[in-house]
Amino acid sequence: MEMFFFITAMIMNIETTDITPKYNQSVFFKNKINCEVYVQQNYTTLMNGLQIYLDQQGETGVVESIGCTGLSKEDIEEMFEEQQRKENTIST
């Protein structure tokens, strides 16, 4: 099974203390070593940039850590479908 590796930040919601992953979908790697090297070399920039983005969006999240997550094509499709369902759900 072919895997794709994404830069992944673990975000803690300050209000609820829930921790959720946030994937950077604009960049992916075909092996984990290249992903980890990229994160290591750019760790401070990635952390600071994401925290600034969260603050500007008014989100109450704090970046806990950044690493790499491997996902298969099927995992990515499931995530996309789940996101589509959430966007199509009407809240009352």
Side-chain angles (χ1 to χ4, degrees):
M1 177 178 351
E2 186 176 19
M3 298 290 285
F4 300 93
F5 295 89
F6 294 90
I7 300 168
T8 308
M10 299 307 287
I11 310 292
M12 182 178 71
N13 183 316
I14 295 173
E15 296 170 354
T16 65
T17 67
D18 290 338
I19 296 178
T20 55
K22 183 170 185 67
Y23 303 100
N24 180 344
Q25 298 172 358
S26 62
V27 178
F28 71 91
F29 301 86
K30 291 217 173 188
N31 67 58
K32 188 173 184 175
I33 292 172
N34 288 347
C35 183
E36 289 174 347
V37 167
Y38 181 88
V39 169
Q40 183 179 22
Q41 291 175 345
N42 296 285
Y43 190 82
T44 302
T45 302
L46 292 167
M47 285 284 286
N48 292 342
L50 180 55
Q51 190 61 59
I52 290 168
Y53 172 80
L54 293 172
D55 294 344
Q56 287 178 340
Q57 297 300 312
E59 294 187 27
T60 58
V62 174
V63 182
E64 287 292 306
S65 65
I66 294 182
C68 296
T69 300
L71 299 170
S72 68
K73 183 178 178 181
E74 291 78 20
D75 293 334
I76 296 167
E77 289 170 352
E78 279 182 35
M79 284 177 29
F80 180 74
E81 289 170 3
E82 183 178 325
Q83 184 64 33
Q84 292 294 324
R85 283 192 298 272
K86 285 180 183 178
E87 289 175 3
N88 291 331
T89 302
I90 299 173
S91 300
T92 56

